[in-house]
Amino acid sequence: MSQDKPVNQAWGGRFGEATDAFVARFTASVRFDQRLYRHDIAGSIAHAEMLTRVGVLTQAERDAIVAGLKAIAAQIADGRFTWSEALEDVHMNIESALTAAIGTAGKKLHTGRSRNDQVATDIRLWLRDEIDAILAEITRLQQALVEVAEREADTIMPGFTHLQTAQPVTFGHHLMAWYEMLGRDHSRLIDCRKRLNRSPLGAAALAGTSYPIDRHHSAALLGFDGPTANSMDSVSDRDFAIEFCAAASLLMTHLSRASEELILWASAQFRFVDLPDRFCTGSSIMPQKKNPDVPELVRGKTGRVTGHLVALLTLMKGQPLAYNKDNQEDKEPLFDTADTLRDCLRAFADMVPALQVNRAAMRGAARAGYATATDLADYLVRQGLPFRDAHEAVGKAVAHGIASGRDLAELSLDELRVFAPTIASDVFAVLTLEGSVAARDHIGGTAPTQVRAAVAQARDDLARRAAPLQAQS
Ligand code: ARG
């Protein structure tokens, strides 16, 4: 065997020549997986503690390893650590620095484990922290929505179906719809967190290890709910990352829909809201422009997060058990998903409380769009007309209003009676916007009293959410 060329110290024993320089670069992941360093070190410390407990490492070796790893963590945090692409990934960079610092004890750290269970552990630990931070951001956004919804519980706007004026709703009700979507996103992420919170440590390369390890011990040290049940599954599946990306894609889809509404509402055609200048940019050529860049970008970034979900599903689909190098490709999409999601949630949580609401424009739009036509039909039904006949009569009244450029409430009693002779002067109470929203007074309805009830319930739920989350970490 030729010893002329340097070969990788960690696995070079059976190799006769050095890795091709291009291949070394092509296969290395340290460029992007170095961001796992904190979790990699936490995993290594737990592994060393466990090895000591079962008698594989001495106390002195354990102490040297733990002190060495902590020093490396500090170096990395301060930017004093030199990463080497020749050492492939975050795991071997740290292990090699440890051995350089403490000698032989460093070489013993990798006893009874493999980079396969190591990386599976690192990603889970990293993602668990990310999920916790994202859950907190969702809560912050939901809190903002609740505040604005309460303030705007009486604010009337047109509700749309097919983006055509349908029935009057309150702006508070609309915002509480966003709140509900985010609540489901929050619970999906809690679910995902529960399933990923199992420790793969001890699965080793794929089959487990011949050392007398205590997987419960290392799992407990890392805050896992326990060890994973099957070593082959532990090192190979990335379903937890896919699940996270799926929940993230849904969350982004919700933010994208809300963005689309903000963009419409901020336009000169709607003028329902004004986005604060600090969330917008201007045009270099059109002096009047104030562009809603932040919601536009959130809407745009939804595409890349959905793309990451598809990338991970595709990455996984052809892999036989157990670990395959394909899985190194899980990191960049996963990292970018978490980063993008956090940024977009932050943008929304900052923006929502600062929205300037143009109540007059909302009200004007609701008045102009025959939004109370259903209320007139319901009035006729209460007088004994079958709903379909009432629908027909009101349709004709609307056509008459359109022809003369007036809303239903602006037609005279005589004009209305042409379409339904039983109409009396009390009809004008149901044709008002306030009457219309107040009438939808049941759980989930748009009546201001119901919006206030939903706000109170939401405050309760958010307060209860805070407690168990702290207990989890
Ligand atoms: N960098 C690798 C990854 O991200 C670590 C595991 C490598 N394992 C191996 N047997 N080559 O998946």
Side-chain angles (χ1 to χ4, degrees):
M1 184 166 81
S2 156
Q3 291 292 349
D4 302 346
K5 299 257 165 91
V7 295
N8 190 302
Q9 290 300 309
W11 42 252
R14 61 101 74 211
F15 281 72
E17 60 175 358
T19 314
D20 179 272
F22 164 74
V23 172
R25 215 176 339 114
F26 186 70
T27 55
S29 55
V30 67
R31 273 188 317 285
F32 47 85
D33 68 14
Q34 55 179 266
R35 74 181 281 179
L36 294 172
Y37 81 87
R38 232 180 258 110
H39 302 93
D40 190 69
I41 287 174
S44 288
I45 290 177
H47 181 64
E49 295 287 357
M50 183 279 290
L51 289 180
T52 310
R53 182 185 169 95
V54 300
V56 173
L57 291 178
T58 66
Q59 306 271 352
E61 286 166 338
R62 189 263 322 264
D63 292 347
I65 287 171
V66 171
L69 287 171
K70 285 185 174 164
I72 290 169
Q75 278 172 31
I76 298 172
D78 298 347
R80 287 182 286 117
F81 190 85
T82 313
W83 297 99
S84 156
E85 194 151 68
L87 291 166
E88 238 179 280
D89 54 28
V90 61
H91 324 294
M92 292 201 290
N93 267 268
I94 291 174
E95 191 188 322
S96 148
L98 179 68
T99 300
I102 69 168
T104 308
K107 294 187 190 171
K108 295 190 179 180
L109 171 63
H110 212 54
T111 312
R113 79 170 179 187
S114 151
R115 277 184 294 154
N116 296 351
D117 59 341
Q118 190 177 354
V119 72
T121 304
D122 292 4
I123 309 171
R124 282 171 151 92
L125 291 173
W126 177 86
L127 187 53
R128 195 176 67 185
D129 280 354
E130 288 297 312
I131 289 175
D132 287 345
I134 288 163
L135 289 172
E137 277 299 286
I138 296 174
T139 299
R140 192 164 75 89
L141 172 53
Q142 287 186 292
Q143 276 159 348
L145 287 169
V146 164
E147 295 307 312
V148 183
E150 181 172 56
R151 193 187 72 208
E152 306 296 336
D154 295 296
T155 305
I156 292 176
M157 68 184 288
F160 301 95
T161 61
H162 314 270
L163 202 57
Q164 308 291 312
T165 299
Q167 292 172 352
V169 294
T170 56
F171 187 44
H173 195 52
H174 194 118
L175 294 176
M176 289 307 286
W178 292 2
Y179 173 92
E180 287 297 316
M181 302 179 199
L182 290 165
R184 292 191 297 277
D185 291 322
H186 188 275
S187 69
R188 266 187 282 274
L189 286 168
I190 296 255
D191 249 27
C192 170
R193 189 192 193 283
K194 271 184 211 147
R195 263 186 294 281
L196 75 75
N197 202 31
R198 294 258 153 204
S199 173
L201 265 190
L206 78 165
T209 175
S210 55
Y211 296 92
I213 57 170
D214 180 350
R215 297 192 60 212
H216 284 282
H217 187 62
S218 46
L221 289 174
L222 292 168
F224 284 118
D225 295 329
T228 51
N230 179 291
S231 63
M232 295 178 76
D233 173 46
S234 309
V235 293
S236 72
D237 208 346
R238 297 291 183 264
D239 59 351
F240 61 90
I242 297 173
E243 223 179 308
F244 171 75
C245 288
S249 298
L250 276 170
L251 209 172
M252 286 297 298
T253 298
H254 288 153
L255 293 183
S256 183
R257 295 182 63 196
S259 295
E260 172 68 8
E261 293 185 320
L262 289 176
I263 293 161
L264 280 172
W265 294 345
S267 70
Q269 288 66 36
F270 277 76
R271 295 187 309 108
F272 286 5
V273 299
D274 215 356
L275 300 175
D277 288 358
R278 63 182 184 279
F279 294 103
C280 298
T281 64
S283 158
S284 53
I285 178 167
M286 297 167 282
Q288 86 283 10
K289 290 298 287 293
K290 180 174 145 184
N291 297 326
D293 293 49
V294 171
E296 286 177 291
L297 269 176
V298 171
R299 189 178 59 185
K301 285 173 187 292
T302 304
R304 80 198 249 173
V305 170
T306 306
H308 294 327
L309 168 63
V310 175
L312 290 193
L313 283 166
T314 312
L315 173 71
M316 205 72 242
K317 76 173 276 294
Q319 286 193 50
L321 286 171
Y323 177 86
N324 301 282
K325 185 77 164 181
D326 311 43
N327 277 344
Q328 184 165 289
E329 287 289 307
D330 64 354
K331 287 170 203 63
E332 289 159 293
L334 181 62
F335 293 164
D336 189 66
T337 297
D339 291 345
T340 304
L341 190 53
R342 274 174 86 159
D343 284 352
C344 293
L345 282 166
R346 181 192 166 160
F348 253 80
D350 290 347
M351 200 164 51
V352 163
L355 286 178
Q356 290 145 26
V357 179
N358 186 346
R359 293 176 185 161
M362 289 184 175
R363 188 180 176 79
R367 272 188 61 81
Y370 303 94
T372 56
T374 314
D375 297 272
L376 179 55
D378 290 344
Y379 170 89
L380 295 175
V381 167
R382 280 196 296 278
Q383 289 189 333
L385 218 59
F387 182 78
R388 281 294 158 218
D389 294 342
H391 186 285
E392 168 82 11
V394 176
K396 286 181 173 152
V398 167
H400 177 73
I402 290 170
S404 58
R406 286 169 303 161
D407 193 55
L408 289 177
E410 291 165 336
L411 301 181
S412 71
L413 188 55
D414 286 342
E415 278 177 296
L416 287 169
R417 280 186 171 148
V418 171
F419 306 103
T422 51
I423 294 179
S425 59
D426 61 351
V427 74
F428 292 104
V430 314
L431 292 181
T432 65
L433 297 172
E434 281 73 17
S436 173
V437 294
R440 286 155 174 80
D441 189 13
H442 52 76
I443 186 165
T446 194
T449 49
Q450 292 297 333
V451 173
R452 291 199 179 85
V455 161
Q457 179 66 55
R459 286 218 174 93
D460 253 31
D461 293 345
L462 291 175
R464 225 169 314 115
R465 182 187 285 178
L469 244 188
Q470 277 157 10
Q472 274 173 34
S473 50

